[in-house]
Amino acid sequence: MGDITLTINDAPVTGQDGMTILEVARENGVDIPTMCYLKELSPIGACRLCVVEVEGSRNLVGSCHTPITEGMVIQTHSPRVVTARRMVVELMMANHPDNCLVCDAANQCELRQVAADLDVGLPSFKLKKHYYPIEDISPYLVRDLGKCILCQRCIRACDEIAKQKVFNLAYRGFDCKVIVDLDQPVDKEVCRDCDVCVSVCPTVALRKPKKQGEEKKGPPLILSQ
Amino acid sequence: MEPVKVDEIIDKYPAQSSVLIQLLLDIQGEFSWIPREAIQCVSERLNIPLSQIYRVASFYKAMSLTPRGRHVVNVCLGTACHVRGATRIIDKVEDSLGIKTGETTEDMQFTLQRVNCLGCCALGPVMLVDKDYHGKMTPAKVAAVLKDYD
Ligand code: SF4
Ligand code: SF4
Ligand code: FES
Ligand code: FES
């Protein structure tokens, strides 16, 4: 377990063998935005939001899953990186239902947060959107796949933390979606008393059912803080 | 679908998840599609979650999750065939069979699909029926070719 020295944004830093670029950056106070990554889950490099520029590498690399090596020279906020990140988020926003205004998650939504942070604004192009029926037959879990951004956090959290394997990814391309069993609406008894996947979903593609009489959410978070 | 057949196929392989793709291809070969019941059998016997098997089956083009006709018609719409008028061929096939691309006729005789290059561009426009290549196709030839498979 040797120390590895590298350069992040022109400053020399050190990290341990086996650490990822993201871990070293965060340890040194450099904030790289992430979406599919959560430190509790195994990294899969699905969303490309965390890309950085590494000297000598033709392509941008995903910092959440790339281990550090000796002498790496990294730029985390170069113009090229920022442009790429904006495009990633813009693409996610472009096929996301545009009902943020009346969305339950508005104040907690990580997608919206990251779009605001990166100054993405309204998408400059229109993409096909997904129209999936809301799955609300389970008393424990509601899925609204129209809002799913395919970060796969729920798949990994259910597998790795809840130790169930309720979700999986299926189909390909535009049709790609998170499925349950043989692509059936979620309705599993194992979800009783578990909300692991709900707690990791960055949007409200997954949520707990609302109870009768509790529909009102109270003042926006910003006022109650 | 006969569950016995599925069991026979599963018996041919060691009960481990690494054989999944080969197993599914065999099931596809036997029934010319992968019925939900077959996935259920595989899941129980190999102890793999249903969704994991469905994931594989829905990913590969070689596997179908909907019943397919006795004959599968693939019309090439790759670049070379496209510029030689392949769209007119596929339109003609759709018309003659009365189905859209991706669908199967009611009598389960034909399934129509499009592909993007069959690797014999010089013969374009190409139409593949089961394992037979029909090159230099014209809309006028479509009916005659299909008739051979009725
Ligand atoms: S509620 Fe728990 S068991 Fe159910 S899908 Fe979510 S993580 Fe898995
Ligand atoms: S349902 Fe939520 S957690 Fe799961 S992949 Fe979609 S956005 Fe991610
Ligand atoms: S956070 Fe690294 S690829 Fe998604
Ligand atoms: S484009 Fe049709 S065979 Fe290549």
Side-chain angles (χ1 to χ4, degrees):
Chain A
M1 286 291 275
D3 275 358
I4 292 181
T5 46
L6 59 160
T7 314
I8 297 184
N9 299 344
D10 305 323
V13 296
T14 54
Q16 249 72 60
D17 201 11
M19 284 174 91
T20 61
I21 298 175
L22 180 71
E23 283 164 347
V24 180
R26 291 209 166 151
E27 220 169 60
N28 288 280
V30 176
D31 184 35
I32 301 173
T34 54
M35 187 55 83
C36 66
Y37 171 86
L38 273 186
K39 69 175 185 307
E40 294 79 9
L41 305 175
S42 52
I44 52 167
C47 73
R48 312 319 287 168
L49 185 60
C50 67
V51 287
V52 295
E53 208 168 350
V54 175
E55 222 174 82
S57 160
R58 194 162 53 91
N59 298 324
L60 299 177
V61 304
S63 63
C64 71
H65 60 92
T66 306
I68 51 167
T69 54
E70 185 64 40
M72 253 184 180
V73 180
I74 298 161
Q75 288 295 337
T76 63
H77 287 77
S78 63
R80 185 172 165 218
V81 167
V82 173
T83 311
R85 277 187 203 142
R86 284 209 182 108
M87 184 51 76
V88 165
V89 178
E90 190 170 342
L91 285 165
M92 284 184 201
M93 293 295 282
N95 75 5
H96 201 73
D98 39 22
N99 59 355
C100 287
L101 202 56
V102 290
C103 178
D104 261 352
N107 285 321
Q108 305 107 296
C109 176
E110 288 179 47
L111 177 60
R112 192 176 135 140
Q113 176 79 49
V114 84
D117 283 353
L118 291 173
D119 267 338
V120 171
L122 286 176
S124 49
F125 37 74
K126 291 260 177 244
L127 293 185
K128 248 205 291 182
K129 294 189 200 303
H130 293 280
Y131 294 97
Y132 295 120
I134 293 182
E135 299 172 11
D136 58 358
I137 49 175
S138 161
Y140 316 120
L141 208 56
V142 177
R143 287 212 308 164
D144 180 357
L145 285 186
K147 290 181 177 159
C148 173
I149 56 168
L150 294 172
C151 68
Q152 304 177 45
R153 284 188 192 177
C154 55
I155 302 178
R156 286 171 289 153
C158 183
D159 179 8
E160 296 167 19
I161 300 175
K163 303 288 177 210
Q164 306 292 334
K165 282 183 188 311
V166 170
F167 301 120
N168 234 310
L169 214 58
Y171 307 103
R172 47 153 102 183
F174 181 76
D175 299 322
C176 187
K177 71 188 262 214
V178 179
I179 60 152
V180 177
D181 289 346
L182 302 170
D183 194 4
Q184 288 145 325
V186 62
D187 187 14
K188 292 277 192 187
E189 202 43 40
V190 288
C191 302
R192 175 199 281 263
D193 302 326
C194 175
D195 61 358
V196 169
C197 57
V198 173
S199 70
V200 296
C201 183
T203 65
V204 272
L206 279 167
R207 60 173 164 83
K208 286 269 160 196
K210 285 177 198 159
K211 298 212 181 71
Q212 281 287 317
E214 285 184 7
E215 289 88 351
K216 284 262 171 60
K217 297 193 68 167
L221 282 187
I222 212 155
L223 295 181
S224 54
Q225 262 167 12
Chain B
M1 189 207 90
E2 299 152 60
V4 192
K5 282 265 168 57
V6 179
D7 277 327
E8 271 170 26
I9 295 174
I10 300 175
D11 285 336
K12 286 200 303 196
Y13 296 97
Q16 58 199 37
S17 54
S18 56
V19 303
L20 185 58
I21 291 184
Q22 199 49 51
L23 226 166
L24 291 176
L25 283 173
D26 283 9
I27 293 174
Q28 170 78 38
E30 177 68 36
F31 304 104
S32 77
W33 71 296
I34 300 179
R36 303 291 189 275
E37 295 81 7
I39 298 184
Q40 223 113 29
C41 287
V42 177
S43 166
E44 278 159 29
R45 296 270 315 266
L46 297 192
N47 203 10
I48 306 174
L50 287 176
S51 59
Q52 180 74 34
I53 305 174
Y54 194 91
R55 173 183 195 162
V56 174
S58 67
F59 183 82
Y60 291 106
K61 278 272 165 70
M63 301 173 190
S64 169
L65 288 161
T66 48
R68 293 215 280 185
R70 274 173 286 279
H71 302 291
V72 179
V73 181
N74 280 294
V75 177
C76 180
L77 283 180
T79 316
C81 292
H82 197 273
V83 296
R84 291 195 189 134
T87 48
R88 285 187 296 132
I89 312 287
I90 202 162
D91 285 350
K92 181 72 193 176
V93 180
E94 285 189 346
D95 275 357
S96 336
L97 297 178
I99 52 172
K100 292 250 171 295
T101 308
E103 293 178 350
T104 301
T105 53
E106 240 167 63
D107 60 3
M108 300 303 286
Q109 194 67 9
F110 291 105
T111 295
L112 174 61
Q113 296 176 337
R114 55 167 288 184
V115 283
N116 300 311
C117 196
L118 289 163
C120 50
C121 310
L123 292 178
V126 185
M127 175 169 141
L128 174 69
V129 186
D130 299 335
K131 289 188 170 138
D132 313 327
Y133 289 79
H134 300 273
K136 307 241 184 271
M137 283 298 295
T138 60
K141 285 194 204 161
V142 166
V145 169
L146 291 178
K147 209 163 153 274
D148 284 345
Y149 298 89
D150 250 340

